[in-house]
Amino acid sequence: MDYYSDHIKTLIDELGRLPGVGYKSASRLAFHIVNMPQEGVDRLVDSIRNAKANVRYCKKCCTLTDDEYCPICKSPGRDASTVMVVENSRDLAAYEKTGEYHGLYHVLHGAISPALGIGPADIRLKELMQRLETEQISEVIIATNSSLEGETTAMYISKLIKPAGIKVSRIASGVPVGGDLEYIDEITLLRALEGRVEL
Ligand code: ZN
């Protein structure tokens, strides 16, 4: 039995595909959107379209940005000899919010997960290795999540980099196991960074 119009049903289906949005939330959002003033809907649609069309990967650190290089890579005040490897741009933002990290980043856009069929070639690892060859980097801080995938990725990267004679460290386990960096408070993040151990 179909209670809704086909258009609403399609909208609910599409919203429901977004991460973290279940059927209930999707239908609440769909009805909210249908009842919004036209200008509001236009703004929402435009913002989605513009983000999709204009956001790209920083040529250096691979984070999402509007320009060729992101503001962090462009900043002359950053310590270019230290690179923190994170899983995604949200983790980068979490560390930036602490205001205490002054090095550069490298965003992998994922983590190695044999269970999900995600291998080293599926994340931005090649780009990291290229940077290590061309930039003067003396320390790589691995700040992937402390999930199984994050740990697997950290191990893999450290094995890959160590032969090059570059210092590799891993943020301390102040970050709870399985915890997503973006949900962890700034003090915990700072402690994890300060207590990092060399691999
Ligand atoms: Zn960048």
Side-chain angles (χ1 to χ4, degrees), residues 58-63 65 69-74 105:
C58 170
K59 275 193 161 173
K60 196 168 186 163
C61 73
C62 300
T63 195
T65 182
Y69 293 99
C70 76
I72 296 169
C73 287
K74 274 195 287 200
Y105 293 91

Side-chain angles (χ1 to χ4, degrees), residues 61 82-89 91-92 95 101 103-111 123-125 127-129 131-132 137 139-145 150 153-154 156-158 161 166-171 181 193:
C61 73
T82 308
V83 169
M84 184 192 283
V85 180
V86 292
E87 288 184 24
N88 55 53
S89 297
D91 292 344
L92 177 155
Y95 261 104
Y101 175 70
L104 299 180
Y105 293 91
H106 189 83
V107 183
L108 295 172
H109 295 282
I123 58 176
R124 304 265 169 160
L125 251 185
E127 288 84 346
L128 174 64
M129 298 314 288
R131 288 183 69 183
L132 295 179
I137 296 168
E139 183 180 2
V140 172
I141 302 168
I142 305 176
T144 50
N145 292 337
T153 309
Y156 188 90
I157 294 176
S158 96
I161 297 179
I166 296 167
K167 183 177 170 190
V168 185
S169 57
R170 175 87 173 108
I171 53 165
L181 287 189
L193 177 59

